[in-house]
């Protein structure tokens, strides 16, 4: 690990010259991709500009369809039917607001959120802010570990404990895949997730035996409630899985990969297209997550089990739903094909989110602390810290705690969210920091209302969250 000055003297530990500064003397965010995509003149056609700007929100949205989301959606549908569908919709809407604001910060200031916190808050805040961000990234990576392990278990029938340990080797897979380029990797992942989304669409809207009662769905969307025990805990997990703190840091950095001009017309155009990019990408993510919840409710809720060929898979209220989630595709594809497709898509989602988690780790470490280490070493440290709790709990409690661990990881993310949201809103609401590009009235109200609602839910659900977390760790 090196500081900025040490890196410049020794050649650095990253692949390109670390410590590069822009014309204003600011350290560049993700400097190896900073300004790497040309942007046409602001008077160019809509589609020319769309092609240039589309991408950062897609990369961020992959984190909104990771194993953590799948785990919380499956648990919500299996245990509470459609009751938490409104929370998925609300969380997705709040995510759009926060990601639009995050992109706005990066475009206007030329800094990511971590750099802004370092530059504009007292120096004593750097360590706690960085450490809390690292906890969030570690919690997210725990979800990727568990999702990838379940996928390996389904594909190769390797015991889950060994599958968790094998996920530590993903750093080698990551190095190999990066040779094909980021866009190629994300295209493959989105193709796989798109295939899953298409299958769910067919099951929900076309296949008779899995069609939900749409009037009931509509009622669930507009009438949220927490009447049943445990609903609030899962709701907080859904919010943590959807509005991710590290994605707020990452998005403000990724938008700077576009070579932006700083005249008013160019900034206005960049903000418009990043808003469209965020809204479209996260709306797609919402439909995927909603479909998972609806199919889990249709296949699992209120049932004692499902016949799989000659075998009967029994359900309990504490079933590990992510390990039988492939059964949501079985009515359309058959059990074998459903298991393979679900496992491949789950593995792809986990690996794709691993990439964004690594990038987010670089952003917060460099932004808060001006430390730089090689990406593969960064990946290895984060993955090792995520594997340890998973190995310990699975070794002590067996294979029956995956969904609980997934939900716990997402609750940790939700509890860390206010520490990313409030600085973001404070900076982007300030005319002194943003000039004429500060949040307008709509974003101001929507952003602060989202942050306050999430924080109140965190505080209200904290006792239940602590109690549930202790049950996951200690058993019982």
């Amino acid at each position: 690990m090196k500081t900025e000055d040490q890196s410049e003297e020794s050649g650095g530990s990253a692949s390109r010259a670390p410590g590069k500064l822009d014309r204003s003397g600011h350290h560049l965010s993700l400097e190896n991709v900073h300004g790497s995509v040309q942007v046409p003149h602001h008077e160019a056609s809509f589609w020319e500009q769309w092609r240039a700007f589309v991408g950062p929100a897609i990369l961020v949205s992959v984190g909104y369809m990771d194993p953590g989301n799948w785990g919380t959606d499956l648990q919500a549908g299996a245990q509470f039917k459609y009751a938490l569908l409104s929370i998925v919709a609300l969380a997705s809407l709040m995510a759009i607001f926060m990601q639009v604001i995050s992109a706005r910060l990066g475009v206007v200031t030329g800094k990511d959120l971590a750099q802004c916190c370092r530059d504009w808050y007292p120096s004593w805040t750097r360590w706690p802010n960085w450490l809390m961000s690292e906890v969030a990234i570690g919690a997210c990576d725990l979800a990727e570990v568990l999702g990838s392990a379940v996928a390996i278990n389904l594909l190769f029938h390797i015991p889950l404990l060994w599958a968790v340990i094998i996920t530590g080797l993903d750093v080698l897979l990551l190095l190999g895949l990066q040779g094909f380029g980021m866009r190629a990797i994300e295209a493959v992942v989105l193709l796989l997730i798109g295939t899953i989304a298409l299958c769910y669409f067919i099951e929900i809207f076309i296949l008779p035996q899995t069609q939900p009662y749409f009037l009931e769905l509509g009622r669930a969307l507009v009438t949220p409630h927490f009447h049943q025990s445990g609903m609030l805990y899962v709701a907080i997990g859904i919010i943590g899985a959807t509005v991710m703190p590290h994605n707020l840091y990452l998005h403000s950095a990724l938008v700077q990969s576009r070579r932006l001009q700083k005249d008013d017309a160019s900034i206005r155009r960049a903000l418009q297209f990043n808003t469209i990019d965020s809204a479209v990408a996260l709306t797609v993510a919402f439909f995927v997550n909603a479909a998972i919840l609806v199919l889990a409710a249709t296949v699992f809720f209120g049932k004692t089990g499902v016949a799989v060929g000659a075998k009967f898979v029994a359900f309990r209220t504490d079933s590990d739903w992510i390990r039988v989630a492939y059964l949501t595709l079985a009515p359309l594809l058959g059990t074998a094909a459903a298991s393979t497709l679900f496992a491949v898509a789950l593995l792809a989602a986990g690996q794709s989110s691993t990439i964004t988690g690594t990038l987010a780790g670089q952003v917060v470490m460099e932004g808060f602390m001006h430390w730089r280490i090689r990406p593969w070493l960064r990946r290895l440290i984060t993955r090792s810290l995520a594997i340890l709790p998973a190995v310990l709990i699975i070794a002590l409690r067996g294979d029956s705690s995956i969904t609980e661990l997934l939900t716990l990881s997402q609750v940790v993310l939700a509890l860390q969210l206010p520490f990313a949201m409030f600085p973001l809103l404070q900076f982007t609401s300030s005319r002194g920091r943003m000039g004429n590009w500060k949040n307008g009235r709509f974003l101001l109200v929507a952003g602060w209302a989202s942050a306050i609602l999430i924080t109140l839910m965190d505080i209200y659900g904290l006792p239940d969250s602590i109690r549930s977390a202790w049950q996951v760790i200690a058993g019982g």
Side-chain angles (χ1 to χ4, degrees), residues 10-50:
S10 65
S13 58
S15 57
R16 292 186 57 181
K20 267 177 84 177
L21 306 176
D22 65 15
R23 291 177 183 175
S24 305
H26 297 132
H27 168 252
L28 297 178
S29 182
L30 292 177
E31 62 187 9
N32 58 323
V33 295
H34 192 283
S36 60
V37 178
Q38 287 283 1
V39 174
H41 191 268
H42 64 83
E43 293 181 353
S45 71
F46 176 89
W47 292 112
E48 278 185 89
Q49 297 195 69
W50 170 254

Side-chain angles (χ1 to χ4, degrees), residues 194-230:
T195 304
I196 283 274
L198 178 63
C199 292
Y200 281 152
F201 177 86
I202 292 171
E203 287 195 293
I204 290 174
F205 292 101
I206 298 173
L207 213 61
Q209 63 264 42
T210 51
Q211 270 191 12
Y213 184 40
F214 290 104
L215 188 60
E216 189 178 0
L217 282 182
R219 281 199 299 266
L221 270 173
V222 297
T223 55
H225 66 84
F226 302 107
H227 296 160
Q228 292 174 253
S229 174

Side-chain angles (χ1 to χ4, degrees), residues 164-453:
V164 166
I165 295 170
I166 288 170
T167 63
L169 301 175
D170 81 339
V171 64
L172 303 175
L173 177 62
L174 213 56
L175 288 172
L177 288 175
Q178 283 176 334
F180 294 100
M182 190 67 73
R183 284 193 181 272
I185 297 169
E186 295 304 327
V188 171
V189 171
L190 287 175
L191 178 64
L192 288 163
I193 292 176
T195 304
I196 283 274
L198 178 63
C199 292
Y200 281 152
F201 177 86
I202 292 171
E203 287 195 293
I204 290 174
F205 292 101
I206 298 173
L207 213 61
Q209 63 264 42
T210 51
Q211 270 191 12
Y213 184 40
F214 290 104
L215 188 60
E216 189 178 0
L217 282 182
R219 281 199 299 266
L221 270 173
V222 297
T223 55
H225 66 84
F226 302 107
H227 296 160
Q228 292 174 253
S229 174
M231 286 183 72
L232 184 59
Y233 177 71
V234 177
I236 293 172
I238 289 171
I239 290 173
T242 307
V243 194
M244 294 190 181
H246 67 282
N247 269 344
L248 301 181
Y249 293 103
L250 180 60
H251 203 171
S252 58
L254 287 175
V255 293
Q256 297 174 55
S257 62
R258 273 54 185 169
R259 194 170 298 173
L260 302 172
Q261 292 80 38
K262 287 301 180 181
D263 59 283
D264 283 357
S266 296
I267 291 176
R268 182 178 296 106
R269 207 65 169 152
L271 294 177
Q272 288 172 349
F273 278 95
N274 276 295
T275 299
I276 296 170
D277 191 26
S278 300
V280 170
L282 297 184
T283 299
V284 171
F286 160 68
F287 282 115
V288 172
N289 288 321
I292 292 172
L293 185 149
V294 169
L295 264 299
T298 303
V299 176
F300 300 141
F301 179 77
K303 296 183 181 176
T304 58
V306 169
V308 181
K311 183 181 174 185
F312 184 78
V313 179
F315 301 151
R316 305 185 312 275
T317 54
D318 61 344
S319 284
D320 238 343
W321 299 112
I322 196 163
R323 299 186 68 194
V324 292
Y326 68 90
L327 294 173
T328 59
L329 291 171
L332 178 65
L333 300 174
T335 304
S339 177
T340 301
L341 176 62
F342 184 85
V344 170
L346 185 61
L347 185 61
Q351 292 306 309
S352 183
S353 297
T354 288
I355 294 169
T356 59
T358 301
L359 291 173
Q362 289 176 240
V363 168
V364 299
M365 182 179 281
E366 294 176 11
F368 281 121
M369 309 305 294
H370 283 189
W371 293 342
R372 291 172 192 83
I373 59 177
R374 295 180 186 275
W376 68 265
L377 183 58
R378 163 83 219 184
R379 176 79 240 115
L380 192 61
I381 293 170
T382 306
R383 180 48 55 99
S384 299
L385 293 175
I387 283 176
L388 285 174
V391 167
L392 283 173
I393 290 176
I394 292 172
L396 291 172
R397 296 188 54 198
D399 294 356
S400 62
S401 52
I402 298 300
T403 300
E404 291 176 340
L405 270 171
L406 276 171
T407 304
L408 172 62
S409 71
Q410 305 313 299
V411 169
V412 171
L413 286 173
L415 294 175
Q416 206 277 328
L417 254 176
F419 299 99
M421 290 188 300
F422 286 112
L424 174 65
L425 289 165
Q426 181 190 351
F427 299 148
T428 54
S429 302
S430 166
R431 186 175 294 276
R433 304 296 185 194
M434 301 284 287
N436 293 331
W437 304 108
K438 73 182 185 72
N439 291 333
R441 186 173 299 173
F442 176 77
L443 276 182
L444 197 68
V445 172
W448 283 102
S450 299
I452 291 168
L453 178 60

